[in-house]
Amino acid sequence: MIEYYDISGCYILRPWAMSIWEILQTFFDAEIKKMKIKNCYFPLFVSPGVLQKEKDHIEGFAPEVAWVTKSGESELEVPIAIRPTSETVMYPYFSKWIRGHRDLPLRLNQWCNVVRWEFSNPTPFIRSREFLWQEGHTAFATKEEADTEVLEILELYRRIYEEFLAVPVIKGKKSEHEKFAGGLYTTTVEAFIPNTGRGIQGATSHCLGQNFAKMFEINFENDKGEKAMVWQNSWAYTTRTIGVMIMVHGDDKGLVLPPKIASIQVIIIPVPYKDANTQGIFDACAATVKTLNEAGIRAEVDSRDNYSPGWKYSNWEMKGVPLRIEIGPKDLANNQVRAVRRDNSAKIDIPMANLVEQVNDLLNNIQRSLFEVAKQKRDACIQTVNTWEEFAEALSQNKMILAPWCDEEEVEKDVKARTKGEIGAAKSLCSPFDQPELPEGTLCFASGKPARKWTYWGRSY
Amino acid sequence: MIEYYDISGCYILRPWAMSIWEILQTFFDAEIKKMKIKNCYFPLFVSPGVLQKEKDHIEGFAPEVAWVTKSGESELEVPIAIRPTSETVMYPYFSKWIRGHRDLPLRLNQWCNVVRWEFSNPTPFIRSREFLWQEGHTAFATKEEADTEVLEILELYRRIYEEFLAVPVIKGKKSEHEKFAGGLYTTTVEAFIPNTGRGIQGATSHCLGQNFAKMFEINFENDKGEKAMVWQNSWAYTTRTIGVMIMVHGDDKGLVLPPKIASIQVIIIPVPYKDANTQGIFDACAATVKTLNEAGIRAEVDSRDNYSPGWKYSNWEMKGVPLRIEIGPKDLANNQVRAVRRDNSAKIDIPMANLVEQVNDLLNNIQRSLFEVAKQKRDACIQTVNTWEEFAEALSQNKMILAPWCDEEEVEKDVKARTKGEIGAAKSLCSPFDQPELPEGTLCFASGKPARKWTYWGRSY
């Protein structure tokens, strides 16, 4: 999937990973085009004056900004920043382009790289100094339109995780402490990695309110001829999606790829025997791959003659291909193939006559089953608590903890301080949209004040 | 198409331009996937040691390299370069990944941004400090395979220009002086801009030979068990393609977009009259756009009520939409629409019954006609010369000059020196693959030595 690079925190996305990114990109790009969102491309570079215009925003990003100060042998007159995100890159032009209510909504997206020069624990896909993403930036005449879009985009992010990557996520809202720097509110899809007992922010859809509009003077004349300020959103998902999928499904043998995003869904391996009809087996493999490809299934034959079938089995298991088809002398004699599932090692003999139908069924089944298994594992990690003692106990067991909370920023900071330790402090993950009942009189698990909502807490990436 | 940005030499690609890039990308990406070339993504950053490994190569790029020296408030220990191109980024890993002949060919491509901090005349699309491109990097066991791919890719570049952008190009080979820094030979598709009398390099496909393989130790064990060095290619086309198209087809009214790359191929404009059936006209517009969209034609209705039809005509002409459809009371009465071509202003009444067929014909016709007209204009600028006097005269007339040449690097430098002037010196553009006959005894136009080939010369971008 990746190769380590000679600059720390940078990674090479090899074709096996890139093809997953391309499948997610094709889906999302088509969906946002249906929503009349248009692609564009803004520069990689930001001038310091613009970058620093929104105070909270730059405070959030300043320590991670990479600066270009030289070209060739010459010092630049003014250092130039590399975008960590493009709010400040784009919004001066939103101000220029938006004049009247007919210029709204303005809905742009770009697919690009961004740079955040983090020093803590670079991890492939999850925390890297450069990563690929899409970033949407939109402006509306009313808050209602902005609110609606925030949720429409969040639903696309849920579909990327649940329908494509087979990773269960929880939709919710970030706390004031965890929201996007400079924004009004942040919605998120949160995943959880049972093996490490950590939550991970999957993708975020922000309502920026009118804060950036004020700083960048993005005004318009409304339909009554009055001057008004726009309401803005920004939203992004990154190559981190791939990392989450790897961590959720991987096992001792290596990767496990959901069929929908696997660039090879079915690997066909000839299993010749010394006395058997080798040519017949190779012909059957060729016929099988042709039939599957024609039915739109991504299949390949591994006909390398310098590796044994057993070596190939392990190799493709390690790479995570969802389904292996073996064709040996017995299969040839019976006019069948043997299919072996990557996810649960189940073996199924498939008559050639039913090939496409049964392979499609199996792939659908694997996709669904990966999601169900991941959901069961995730659900088993969720613990509901009411008191600090229960919370501390659940945290020591690396749980994803649902607790009633007073929703005060100082209390969240206090929870962080009280749980600080070698493996990291707990923080709020999100307040789920799907709220359990909160009986009158329920108290905050941390402050003892009246609770205002249920919120997920845990250690996180 | 673009917006100027507050950092000189950087430009914003607005959706109208980006959609053209996406159409070219979809075509090229599908074609290289058929050739089993795989997409990947390598980092934006290069460490100085690697960047400087190939001497000729870095000499070509060093003056334009942007350097990151700071992150947040901290100085980096070692400055880090931003890729101007990715040979030196990728090839250390080619060396790692390639072991035996079964690892070959290795054929990778990436879609990304690169940075060349040029100080001379930044021009939108044509010469910018950051631009988008694809860069292909491949390694083969034999020179024959590499040579074949060089030409296959060049043919795709020709198709991008001629079939999509309707811009005629000449396929040929660059001189030693103009070839890619560090490569073996460079092939090119060269366009010419009649209005400015300048040639422009359209896209290049390089055979790198074994030069980088030597520097980066990219070796393999061949099928005889001997150690051998790979043969490499690299090839790229950039957003410059869009700039060439704009310059070749644009006229006094603005852009002229070939139908194949226009994100709106047909703009439908209602032309209501005070006493007429306005609702009927709007209904007819809606029916027309529906019929065209269902036939796969990219059509939209401009139903804005705050602009007159005349204003809309000019607006969409300026944006270059290939075909305008007007629907007024008379058209409604006759069950027809009026179509107006952007390229030659011809007006055609189309019965609703023949709508799809005739619109398709018109779009095909416009595509072909744009190419033919551009080719006639380009051909009228080509002048064949034999002597320095003829050459100097043709250059003063801003021609694309075909001349017999001795193919010596010193002579090319001398031509540059002798033609230096305010509007730039002449240089060799390419030696066309399609060579006219070169009679025995023909002499070089510049040196008087025996000529070895016909070569195009001119001023260029």
Side-chain angles (χ1 to χ4, degrees):
Chain A
M1 299 281 269
I2 66 116
E3 176 79 58
Y4 284 79
Y5 189 65
D6 76 331
I7 295 173
S8 161
C10 295
Y11 306 94
I12 299 162
L13 296 181
R14 299 187 69 174
W16 201 244
M18 199 61 198
S19 61
I20 298 173
W21 184 243
E22 290 182 298
I23 288 168
L24 299 180
Q25 205 171 2
T26 302
F27 162 72
F28 190 80
D29 200 66
E31 290 297 323
I32 61 175
K33 279 179 175 149
K34 285 184 209 160
M35 294 167 68
K36 309 259 183 220
I37 294 161
K38 293 191 165 154
N39 283 332
C40 62
Y41 187 75
F42 280 74
L44 174 68
F45 297 120
V46 204
S47 57
V50 174
L51 182 66
Q52 285 149 8
K53 209 151 182 176
E54 210 295 317
K55 199 179 126 288
D56 288 341
H57 181 69
I58 186 61
E59 266 181 22
F61 286 103
E64 300 175 357
V65 170
W67 293 92
V68 175
T69 63
K70 260 177 66 177
S71 75
E73 291 298 311
S74 331
E75 297 287 323
L76 298 188
E77 279 180 35
V78 183
I80 289 175
I82 301 183
R83 60 178 168 223
T85 176
S86 300
E87 280 76 9
T88 59
V89 172
M90 291 187 179
Y91 298 165
Y93 301 90
F94 276 47
S95 167
K96 184 173 174 184
W97 296 333
I98 296 169
R99 290 277 168 253
H101 62 98
R102 287 193 178 81
D103 301 323
L104 295 173
L106 177 61
R107 304 175 89 179
L108 297 179
N109 177 68
Q110 68 182 9
W111 295 95
C112 64
N113 54 346
V114 287
V115 171
R116 297 181 187 174
W117 206 266
E118 308 202 41
F119 285 88
S120 61
N121 304 319
T123 311
F125 293 116
I126 302 302
R127 193 171 294 280
S128 57
R129 286 178 171 170
E130 181 196 3
F131 54 85
L132 302 183
W133 76 354
Q134 62 65 222
E135 50 179 323
H137 294 269
T138 55
F140 297 90
T142 64
K143 181 165 186 298
E144 289 64 40
E145 290 168 276
D147 287 338
T148 302
E149 187 199 67
V150 163
L151 295 183
E152 283 172 0
I153 294 294
L154 196 69
E155 171 62 9
L156 293 180
Y157 292 154
R158 184 198 66 76
R159 291 180 62 192
I160 284 176
Y161 275 101
E162 301 201 331
E163 294 180 11
F164 284 80
L165 301 170
V167 169
V169 290
I170 292 167
K171 277 184 179 180
K173 197 170 156 181
K174 287 283 183 187
S175 69
E176 280 300 299
H177 191 65
E178 293 290 336
K179 76 176 184 185
F180 181 70
L184 179 64
Y185 67 85
T186 289
T187 67
T188 179
V189 287
E190 292 283 318
F192 191 80
I193 314 296
N195 288 345
T196 60
R198 285 175 187 267
I200 185 161
Q201 179 177 301
T204 44
S205 179
H206 315 293
C207 179
L208 302 179
Q210 297 186 306
N211 195 23
F212 286 90
K214 193 186 285 173
M215 293 305 150
F216 289 96
E217 300 177 39
I218 314 178
N219 303 311
F220 69 103
E221 203 183 271
N222 69 18
D223 50 8
K224 300 184 194 80
E226 303 153 351
K227 192 175 142 182
M229 237 188 299
V230 299
W231 291 87
Q232 290 180 274
N233 294 339
S234 73
W235 28 269
Y237 80 90
T238 78
T239 36
R240 164 181 279 202
T241 45
I242 302 172
V244 174
M245 181 273 292
I246 293 172
M247 289 195 293
V248 165
H249 301 305
D251 65 16
D252 295 347
K253 294 184 196 164
L255 288 177
V256 182
L257 299 181
K260 270 210 174 183
I261 53 86
S263 61
I264 301 180
Q265 298 172 311
V266 181
I267 187 72
I268 301 162
I269 298 176
V271 191
Y273 265 62
K274 39 191 172 184
D275 298 328
N277 175 3
T278 305
Q279 189 56 45
I281 288 171
F282 276 91
D283 290 347
C285 288
T288 305
V289 77
K290 188 161 176 283
T291 306
L292 294 177
N293 286 342
E294 283 170 2
I297 296 165
R298 298 188 289 270
E300 283 190 16
V301 182
D302 183 349
S303 50
R304 290 176 288 179
D305 57 7
N306 57 325
Y307 294 111
S308 71
W311 187 94
K312 291 179 187 177
Y313 297 169
S314 310
N315 186 241
W316 293 106
E317 278 173 356
M318 189 186 69
K319 291 170 76 93
V321 170
L323 198 65
R324 173 172 87 227
I325 283 184
E326 307 167 4
I327 304 183
K330 210 188 98 200
D331 304 299
L332 196 63
N334 295 341
N335 204 21
Q336 65 177 35
V337 302
R338 161 154 290 197
V340 184
R341 285 172 65 147
R342 172 65 180 89
D343 62 330
N344 64 9
S345 306
K347 295 184 165 68
I348 310 100
D349 289 329
I350 303 178
M352 279 301 276
N354 296 347
L355 183 70
V356 168
E357 192 190 337
Q358 287 204 32
V359 167
N360 267 328
D361 282 354
L362 275 171
L363 293 175
N364 290 336
N365 199 293
I366 294 169
Q367 181 80 31
R368 208 164 38 238
S369 166
L370 280 173
F371 178 77
E372 289 306 330
V373 169
K375 189 163 184 305
Q376 279 164 24
K377 279 192 194 155
R378 195 272 319 265
D379 289 349
C381 294
I382 294 178
Q383 186 142 339
T384 304
V385 306
N386 278 281
T387 66
W388 181 262
E389 289 64 36
E390 289 170 1
F391 175 82
E393 174 62 18
L395 189 65
S396 77
Q397 291 166 21
N398 294 325
K399 298 286 185 182
M400 186 181 198
I401 307 164
L402 186 61
W405 182 38
C406 62
D407 198 12
E408 290 182 14
E409 198 164 351
E410 285 311 308
V411 174
E412 174 159 15
K413 287 183 188 162
D414 190 49
V415 172
K416 273 192 154 171
R418 288 162 78 183
T419 56
K420 209 154 67 182
E422 262 178 39
I423 55 169
K427 61 183 189 185
S428 73
L429 304 174
C430 72
S431 295
F433 291 148
D434 187 7
Q435 285 276 318
E437 206 197 326
L438 187 70
E440 183 96 30
T442 307
L443 300 180
C444 170
F445 78 103
S447 68
K449 297 180 190 176
R452 297 182 53 194
K453 50 167 69 157
W454 289 96
T455 298
Y456 283 103
W457 298 78
R459 293 194 189 87
S460 86
Y461 281 91
Chain B
M1 298 281 272
I2 66 117
E3 176 79 58
Y4 283 79
Y5 189 65
D6 77 331
I7 296 173
S8 162
C10 295
Y11 306 94
I12 299 162
L13 296 181
R14 300 186 70 175
W16 201 244
M18 200 61 198
S19 62
I20 297 173
W21 184 242
E22 290 182 297
I23 289 169
L24 299 181
Q25 206 171 1
T26 302
F27 161 73
F28 190 80
D29 201 66
E31 290 296 324
I32 61 175
K33 279 179 176 149
K34 284 184 209 161
M35 294 166 69
K36 308 258 182 222
I37 294 163
K38 294 191 165 152
N39 283 334
C40 62
Y41 186 76
F42 279 74
L44 175 68
F45 297 120
V46 204
S47 57
V50 174
L51 182 66
Q52 285 148 7
K53 211 152 181 176
E54 209 295 319
K55 198 180 126 289
D56 288 341
H57 180 69
I58 186 60
E59 267 181 21
F61 287 104
E64 301 174 357
V65 169
W67 292 92
V68 175
T69 64
K70 261 178 66 177
S71 77
E73 291 298 311
S74 330
E75 298 285 324
L76 298 188
E77 279 179 35
V78 182
I80 289 175
I82 301 183
R83 62 179 166 221
T85 177
S86 299
E87 279 76 10
T88 60
V89 172
M90 293 187 178
Y91 298 165
Y93 301 90
F94 276 46
S95 166
K96 184 172 175 186
W97 296 333
I98 296 169
R99 290 276 169 256
H101 61 97
R102 286 193 179 81
D103 301 323
L104 295 173
L106 177 61
R107 303 174 90 180
L108 298 178
N109 178 67
Q110 68 182 9
W111 295 96
C112 65
N113 54 346
V114 287
V115 171
R116 298 182 186 174
W117 205 265
E118 307 202 41
F119 286 88
S120 60
N121 303 320
T123 312
F125 293 115
I126 302 301
R127 191 171 296 278
S128 57
R129 285 177 172 170
E130 181 195 3
F131 54 86
L132 302 182
W133 76 352
Q134 61 64 224
E135 50 178 323
H137 294 269
T138 55
F140 298 90
T142 64
K143 181 165 187 296
E144 290 64 39
E145 291 169 276
D147 287 338
T148 302
E149 187 199 66
V150 164
L151 295 184
E152 283 172 1
I153 294 293
L154 196 69
E155 171 62 9
L156 293 179
Y157 293 155
R158 184 198 65 77
R159 291 180 61 192
I160 284 177
Y161 275 100
E162 299 201 333
E163 292 179 12
F164 285 80
L165 301 170
V167 169
V169 290
I170 291 167
K171 277 184 177 180
K173 199 170 155 181
K174 287 282 185 187
S175 68
E176 279 300 299
H177 190 65
E178 293 290 336
K179 78 176 184 185
F180 182 69
L184 180 62
Y185 66 86
T186 290
T187 67
T188 180
V189 287
E190 293 283 318
F192 191 79
I193 314 296
N195 289 346
T196 60
R198 284 175 188 269
I200 185 160
Q201 179 176 302
T204 46
S205 179
H206 314 293
C207 179
L208 303 179
Q210 296 186 306
N211 195 24
F212 286 90
K214 193 186 285 173
M215 294 304 150
F216 289 97
E217 300 176 39
I218 314 178
N219 303 311
F220 69 104
E221 202 182 272
N222 69 20
D223 50 8
K224 298 184 197 79
E226 304 153 350
K227 191 175 143 182
M229 237 189 296
V230 300
W231 291 87
Q232 290 180 275
N233 294 338
S234 73
W235 29 268
Y237 79 90
T238 78
T239 36
R240 166 182 278 203
T241 45
I242 303 172
V244 174
M245 181 273 293
I246 294 172
M247 288 195 292
V248 164
H249 300 305
D251 64 18
D252 295 347
K253 294 184 196 163
L255 289 177
V256 181
L257 299 180
K260 271 208 170 184
I261 53 86
S263 61
I264 301 180
Q265 298 173 309
V266 181
I267 186 72
I268 300 162
I269 298 176
V271 191
Y273 265 61
K274 40 190 172 189
D275 299 328
N277 175 2
T278 305
Q279 190 55 47
I281 288 172
F282 275 91
D283 291 348
C285 287
T288 303
V289 77
K290 187 161 178 282
T291 306
L292 293 177
N293 286 342
E294 283 169 3
I297 296 166
R298 298 189 288 271
E300 282 190 16
V301 183
D302 182 349
S303 51
R304 289 177 288 180
D305 57 7
N306 57 326
Y307 294 112
S308 70
W311 188 94
K312 291 178 186 176
Y313 297 169
S314 310
N315 187 241
W316 292 107
E317 278 173 356
M318 189 185 70
K319 291 172 77 94
V321 169
L323 198 65
R324 173 172 88 227
I325 282 183
E326 309 168 3
I327 304 183
K330 210 188 98 199
D331 304 301
L332 197 62
N334 295 341
N335 203 23
Q336 66 178 32
V337 302
R338 160 154 290 198
V340 184
R341 286 171 66 148
R342 172 66 180 87
D343 63 330
N344 63 11
S345 306
K347 297 183 163 68
I348 310 99
D349 289 330
I350 304 179
M352 280 301 274
N354 295 348
L355 184 69
V356 168
E357 192 191 338
Q358 281 196 237
V359 167
N360 267 328
D361 281 353
L362 274 171
L363 292 174
N364 289 336
N365 198 293
I366 293 168
Q367 182 80 29
R368 209 164 37 239
S369 166
L370 281 173
F371 178 77
E372 289 305 330
V373 169
K375 189 163 184 305
Q376 278 164 26
K377 278 193 195 154
R378 196 274 318 266
D379 288 350
C381 294
I382 294 178
Q383 185 142 340
T384 305
V385 307
N386 278 281
T387 66
W388 181 262
E389 288 67 36
E390 288 170 1
F391 175 82
E393 173 63 19
L395 188 66
S396 77
Q397 290 166 22
N398 293 324
K399 298 287 185 181
M400 187 182 198
I401 307 164
L402 186 61
W405 182 38
C406 62
D407 199 13
E408 289 182 14
E409 198 166 350
E410 284 312 308
V411 173
E412 174 159 14
K413 287 185 188 161
D414 189 49
V415 171
K416 272 192 156 170
R418 287 161 78 184
T419 56
K420 208 154 68 183
E422 261 179 40
I423 55 171
K427 62 183 187 183
S428 73
L429 305 173
C430 73
S431 294
F433 292 148
D434 187 9
Q435 285 274 318
E437 205 198 326
L438 187 69
E440 182 97 30
T442 305
L443 301 180
C444 168
F445 78 103
S447 69
K449 298 179 190 178
R452 296 181 53 194
K453 50 167 70 157
W454 289 95
T455 298
Y456 283 102
W457 298 78
R459 293 194 189 87
S460 87
Y461 280 91

